[in-house]
Amino acid sequence: MSTHDSVFLKRFSMIIAFLAVLTIVLIVAAKYLYTFHPTEPNPVTTARVAERLQPVGGVHSGETGAAAIAAAAQAATAAAASQVAFDGSLDGSVIYNGACTACHGTGAAGAPMLTKDAWTARQAQGVETLVKHATEGFQGAAGIMPARGGNPAISDAQIDATVRWMLENLK
Ligand code: HEC
């Protein structure tokens, strides 16, 4: 081998060695940095843990226990339904802005916006009918109006106040 070759070989192996060391340093640095990364809990794990944390009586409880669980679930549903939306406010603007504007403010899903034109024909049905449709839900040519705007916690009186507020605020 000429001296030329051996000098080349020496330098070349030094470069390779340097790159190898650099790779290792980068790997270690990346691992270290990753320890600061907040990990997202795996939903499967979370669900399993929740399952294991169930009270003993709730997991295997025979008929009596099952009935108690069903009763509790029913009570929870009833409590959710009887929850007061918007702190019981009868201010139509509050309820409208919280529950109706997503569709009626933008025309999304075919909802009539608060313009006189869009409501002339609807108003001809009478306020009572409009309130009924808003309460029970309504499907017309334009689209689907979900019952209580999709929030079962909104009371009859609140829907009534909101529909009246909407009609007073047509532009
Ligand atoms: C998911 C969208 C959506 C939300 C939220 C929504 N609406 Fe509607 N609403 C509609 C659509 C679509 C129509 C038109 C239905 C048709 O005539 O085809 C409509 C129609 C109506 C009508 C007229 C019904 C008729 O007989 O012409 C009233 C009144 C009404 N909405 C009130 C409300 C009130 C009050 C809220 C909030 C509590 C609300 N809406 C929330 C989509 C929505």
Side-chain angles (χ1 to χ4, degrees):
M1 231 183 340
S2 72
T3 33
H4 191 81
D5 281 349
S6 65
V7 166
F8 168 78
L9 210 65
K10 201 172 154 198
R11 294 219 174 120
F12 190 67
S13 10
M14 272 169 72
I15 289 171
I16 296 287
F18 170 73
L19 288 177
V21 169
L22 184 67
T23 308
I24 291 167
V25 168
L26 286 178
I27 289 173
V28 171
K31 286 217 163 188
Y32 174 68
L33 281 181
Y34 192 67
T35 59
F36 296 113
H37 183 78
T39 47
E40 218 172 275
N42 182 338
V44 177
T45 318
T46 320
R48 284 203 188 131
V49 169
E51 203 177 320
R52 281 187 224 118
L53 289 178
Q54 293 248 357
V56 180
V59 176
H60 183 75
S61 48
E63 261 172 49
T64 334
I69 291 167
Q74 216 169 20
T77 320
S82 70
Q83 244 174 17
V84 192
F86 304 103
D87 291 331
S89 167
L90 287 178
D91 182 344
S93 69
V94 171
I95 301 161
Y96 174 80
N97 285 317
C100 321
T101 191
C103 295
H104 288 279
T106 61
M113 290 168 68
L114 299 192
T115 59
K116 290 203 171 89
D117 285 352
W119 285 84
T120 317
R122 295 180 191 277
Q123 275 183 292
Q125 304 177 89
V127 185
E128 304 307 323
T129 308
L130 293 178
V131 170
K132 185 169 183 283
H133 285 168
T135 310
E136 294 172 359
F138 172 70
Q139 175 157 20
I144 295 174
M145 163 65 207
R148 296 174 201 272
N151 183 347
I154 300 177
S155 72
D156 289 356
Q158 286 178 310
I159 292 290
D160 189 281
T162 311
V163 172
R164 287 170 202 276
W165 180 88
M166 285 166 75
L167 297 178
E168 278 161 21
N169 285 275
L170 299 178
K171 296 212 171 66

